[in-house]
Amino acid sequence: MVTETSIEVHPLDPLSADELIRASSIASEHFGSPDSLRFLMVAALEPPKGSVNPPRSAEMVCIDTSSGLTTEVVVDLDTGRVTSVAERPDAQPPALFDEYDRAEAAIRSDEGWRSAMVGRGLNEVQIDLSFIHLWPTGNFGSEWETKHRILKGIVYLRDQPDDNAYGRPVEGLIAIVDLVDNRVLEVVDEPSPPPPTSSLRFDHDHSGPARDDLKQLDIVQSEGPSFNLQGHLLTWQKWQMRVSLHPREGLVLHQIGYEDGGQVRPICYRASLAEMVVPYGDASVGHYFKNAFDSGECGIGRLVNSLELGCDCLGEIAYMDGVVTDERGGARTIKNAICIHEEDAGLLWKHTYRHSDDRGMQSWSRRSRRLVVSTIATVDNYDYGFYWYFYQDGSWEHEVKATGIIQTMAIEDDDPQITRHRIAPQLAGMHHQHFLSFRLDMDVDGGPNTVYEVDTIPLPLGPKNPFYNTFTAQATPITEESQSGRVVDSTSARHWRIANDDRNNPIGESPAYVLTPGATVSMMADEKSLIAQRAAFARKQLWVTAYEPSERYPAGDYPAQSEPGQGMPSWTSANRPLRQADLVLWYTVGMNHIVRPEDWPVMPVQRAGFSMKPWGFFDRNPGLDVPQSDHCEHDHGHGSRNHAHQSSNGHA
């Protein structure tokens, strides 16, 4: 296992544990150190682009648990002073971990809730063993949602404390909890099917006999890995970037660049997950409000796992710890929060040539290797893996892997299953979608940049197309924000080219990178729905905005119980010019989940993502100088007497 090397703090580095504690202490003293003060987020305040010797500052979101008032604070760590305080009386930040605990306690002690459980034929032991899953509520205009800071608690049964409770939902019973007053505001109790009888555990002792024919697979790098990690600076195969963990966004990459001709050429200033939302498609009382903003309502960074060698990562690994607030002014270190390693990635390039004389065949090939930078976060029932891949040909990708346990509901045997699907007797999973918005602060060749939408189209029939077979790539610039909401179109192989039109490559064209969509999906909720209005970013796959430091989260800074229209709709209404400007791309990855029996009791990984490839950024294939594998017997310059009918034992 590789460990990171200590190095001087860089302005883009995250806060250390000592800095986080000091920032919280300065803010607490500013407010008179009240017992009710809690810290939801404490993070490094990123300096302005291009700033020289910027002050080391921390930004934080605080909440007074006695009043529910949210306050944003900025602290200058160099001087030890509070430099900014802004109250946000209408904002609802994510619930504190302590608020989740207090909300559960309030539900369990509420006479109305316990009476409803008894009314369903449950005894005290079953009630005490039950699992309460607390959900953000959205905003459907009710008094509770507009005037209170709340969570909704839905209930599942367990026979043992470690049962898979999602197998036994108590349908139609919801408790609405005020997080400031620590009391249940309302208990919704509607007639519904009885809970299923089986919990369907999936741990080792309950999953059946293990397969006995799986041979050991070892990933060995006898000379160690090819990457170098110094503090938060990561270099590998001409790639360079800074890696960190943000408490809300999770894994963040800064200053991504590629060395070309002895110079690191910028590509992307900052790349991160900016928001994600999971809208459910069932209208029943216990599920219509399930539209979780897992980043803005929960905080991906504070929910990342401590990764384990051989389980989450395999090979010669470098781990980076993450530091987040413990919500009371201290620091919580997440060991091994970020995993960095190399993988064989199949074939990089190959050509086999048949000589015209008796020398037979000669083949040239190179194997591809990729750098992987990843984290995994658990958000209640779902687990999300976030993987950035970097390749030796100058391309890079993002892949999200969704796994975990699906949301379930109890059904009758004759349920029509229109908006859900049966996965076990008396148990169904609701159809839903996942939308993840990635913020890409582009800096291709140092910027400024222009984004072109590129469609492949057939040429008109006629003299210039006599055989009806010609087609071309048509590039249309996105020149202002009102045009920037774009959708994927597989019929035209649509992609987006981010070009620096102030520079020319050797053939007189603008160096660029191309964003190519992977598998994705459109939002199924109607545009009139509240979730489509609150998560308007998810209605399109691509948005482009002019860089503005305060515009970081496309559903707004505080999506919990938010009003429609925040974030992206507000920003793009300014209609700022985009041609040769400092640009931010917002690409939304969509995942459709029509639930199937194979997703139960724990679902296999579902993948989605996008890729970024150079387009005229280099003057030739940048992977030509990758050395030949030691295991490759050909490509020695003299040719080998291979023949077309012979096969290789290797796999691409």
Side-chain angles (χ1 to χ4, degrees), residues 416-462:
Q417 301 187 76
I418 296 172
T419 58
R420 55 253 189 179
H421 192 78
R422 184 180 290 108
I423 54 174
Q426 300 175 292
L427 186 70
M430 294 82 71
H431 302 327
H432 59 282
Q433 298 181 296
H434 305 253
F435 295 101
L436 303 95
S437 175
F438 290 89
R439 182 180 183 273
L440 304 171
D441 183 354
M442 299 304 296
D443 191 28
V444 176
D445 244 4
N449 296 146
T450 300
V451 177
Y452 294 85
E453 184 168 271
V454 184
D455 290 302
T456 304
I457 59 172
L459 291 176
L461 304 182

Side-chain angles (χ1 to χ4, degrees), residues 5 51 98 104 124 207 275 313 328 350 356 368 409 431 436 467 589 594 605 619:
T5 304
S51 58
D98 181 57
E104 180 178 349
E124 291 296 314
S207 57
E275 190 55 88
C313 307
R328 292 177 176 267
K350 179 180 176 69
S356 58
S368 176
M409 65 184 298
H431 302 327
L436 303 95
F467 304 106
V589 173
I594 304 301
V605 161
D619 59 2

Side-chain angles (χ1 to χ4, degrees), residues 201-219:
R201 291 176 60 167
F202 55 88
D203 54 281
H204 181 269
D205 293 336
H206 294 80
S207 57
R211 305 180 188 190
D212 60 4
D213 58 348
L214 196 62
K215 305 303 181 183
Q216 182 71 21
L217 175 63
D218 294 318
I219 308 298

Side-chain angles (χ1 to χ4, degrees), residues 611-645:
S611 69
M612 303 285 288
K613 289 188 176 183
W615 196 94
F617 191 83
F618 303 101
D619 59 2
R620 62 176 189 168
N621 177 355
L624 286 178
D625 59 353
V626 173
Q628 176 184 303
S629 168
D630 291 339
H631 304 290
C632 186
E633 296 181 355
H634 53 251
D635 193 3
H636 295 298
H638 300 293
S640 58
R641 296 186 61 83
N642 298 329
H643 299 283
H645 67 273

Side-chain angles (χ1 to χ4, degrees), residues 148-391:
H148 296 259
R149 175 171 169 79
I150 61 175
L151 290 172
K152 287 186 176 181
I154 56 180
V155 194
Y156 303 84
L157 300 183
R158 295 182 292 198
D159 295 322
Q160 301 293 331
D162 57 352
D163 273 354
N164 175 12
Y166 293 105
R168 301 191 66 194
V170 179
E171 202 62 37
L173 180 61
I174 306 100
I176 303 172
V177 187
D178 185 301
L179 300 180
V180 178
D181 295 339
N182 297 320
R183 66 186 178 93
V184 173
L185 298 170
E186 180 183 359
V187 175
V188 178
D189 184 10
E190 293 197 357
S192 57
T197 57
S198 174
S199 70
L200 284 178
R201 291 176 60 167
F202 55 88
D203 54 281
H204 181 269
D205 293 336
H206 294 80
S207 57
R211 305 180 188 190
D212 60 4
D213 58 348
L214 196 62
K215 305 303 181 183
Q216 182 71 21
L217 175 63
D218 294 318
I219 308 298
V220 178
Q221 291 183 275
S222 58
E223 298 177 341
S226 304
F227 59 80
N228 183 39
L229 183 63
Q230 295 185 313
H232 292 269
L233 177 64
L234 175 63
T235 56
W236 175 82
Q237 289 289 286
K238 303 189 177 182
W239 285 103
Q240 178 174 296
M241 66 202 72
R242 308 197 69 87
V243 182
S244 60
L245 185 80
H246 188 275
R248 175 167 174 168
E249 299 166 80
L251 180 58
V252 177
L253 304 181
H254 279 100
Q255 296 181 327
I256 301 170
Y258 193 95
E259 188 271 320
D260 182 28
Q263 177 183 358
V264 176
R265 298 172 65 187
I267 298 170
C268 181
Y269 183 79
R270 191 180 193 275
S272 68
L273 172 73
E275 190 55 88
M276 61 181 296
V277 64
V278 187
Y280 282 77
D282 193 276
S284 53
V285 65
H287 309 287
Y288 75 91
F289 59 85
K290 292 180 177 177
N291 298 298
F293 291 84
D294 286 342
S295 179
E297 289 180 332
C298 301
I300 291 294
R302 66 180 188 156
L303 300 175
V304 301
N305 297 177
S306 291
L307 303 176
E308 296 184 41
L309 184 64
C311 300
D312 305 300
C313 307
L314 188 63
E316 191 75 15
I317 306 297
Y319 289 111
M320 300 178 70
D321 296 341
V323 179
V324 296
T325 178
D326 69 357
E327 300 183 352
R328 292 177 176 267
R332 178 169 63 93
T333 297
I334 305 172
K335 295 292 293 181
N336 299 352
I338 300 172
C339 172
I340 303 169
H341 70 286
E342 292 176 283
E343 293 179 344
D344 182 272
L347 201 62
L348 179 63
W349 58 261
K350 179 180 176 69
H351 179 63
T352 299
Y353 179 74
R354 181 185 295 277
H355 290 280
S356 58
D357 51 28
D358 63 354
R359 288 180 294 167
M361 306 285 288
Q362 184 171 10
S363 183
W364 298 263
S365 67
R366 297 293 184 270
R367 289 204 66 78
S368 176
R369 192 178 297 187
R370 69 182 181 188
L371 178 72
V372 185
V373 186
S374 64
T375 56
I376 300 174
T378 300
V379 189
D380 291 320
N381 55 297
Y382 257 103
D383 299 79
Y384 296 94
F386 302 97
Y387 297 81
W388 291 101
Y389 300 131
F390 295 87
Y391 296 87

Side-chain angles (χ1 to χ4, degrees), residues 364-567:
W364 298 263
S365 67
R366 297 293 184 270
R367 289 204 66 78
S368 176
R369 192 178 297 187
R370 69 182 181 188
L371 178 72
V372 185
V373 186
S374 64
T375 56
I376 300 174
T378 300
V379 189
D380 291 320
N381 55 297
Y382 257 103
D383 299 79
Y384 296 94
F386 302 97
Y387 297 81
W388 291 101
Y389 300 131
F390 295 87
Y391 296 87
Q392 293 158 303
D393 63 354
S395 62
W396 47 299
E397 298 175 339
H398 186 84
E399 182 178 57
V400 58
K401 300 178 182 179
T403 180
I405 304 178
I406 59 173
Q407 278 288 296
T408 57
M409 65 184 298
I411 60 170
E412 301 283 8
D413 290 336
D414 60 351
D415 188 273
Q417 301 187 76
I418 296 172
T419 58
R420 55 253 189 179
H421 192 78
R422 184 180 290 108
I423 54 174
Q426 300 175 292
L427 186 70
M430 294 82 71
H431 302 327
H432 59 282
Q433 298 181 296
H434 305 253
F435 295 101
L436 303 95
S437 175
F438 290 89
R439 182 180 183 273
L440 304 171
D441 183 354
M442 299 304 296
D443 191 28
V444 176
D445 244 4
N449 296 146
T450 300
V451 177
Y452 294 85
E453 184 168 271
V454 184
D455 290 302
T456 304
I457 59 172
L459 291 176
L461 304 182
K464 294 185 178 180
N465 188 9
F467 304 106
Y468 309 156
N469 66 322
T470 61
F471 56 91
T472 189
Q474 177 176 281
T476 305
I478 301 174
T479 59
E480 54 191 21
E481 288 176 327
S482 62
Q483 306 171 352
S484 75
R486 315 305 301 173
V487 297
V488 167
D489 184 355
S490 61
T491 64
S492 66
R494 178 171 292 169
H495 56 273
W496 294 279
R497 185 189 306 158
I498 306 100
N500 187 334
D501 288 339
D502 287 348
R503 298 180 182 271
N504 287 327
N505 60 22
I507 60 174
E509 296 179 341
S510 302
Y513 261 76
V514 164
L515 190 159
T516 302
T520 191
V521 65
S522 298
M523 179 180 275
M524 294 294 110
D526 189 87
E527 63 180 19
K528 296 178 182 177
S529 68
L530 286 169
I531 187 56
Q533 296 177 54
R534 293 174 61 228
F537 71 88
R539 290 164 57 186
K540 308 282 187 180
Q541 281 79 49
L542 183 86
W543 301 85
V544 186
T545 61
Y547 172 76
E548 162 54 49
S550 64
E551 296 177 354
R552 296 186 287 179
Y553 307 118
D557 292 344
Y558 300 98
Q561 298 173 234
S562 63
E563 296 289 339
Q566 297 186 35

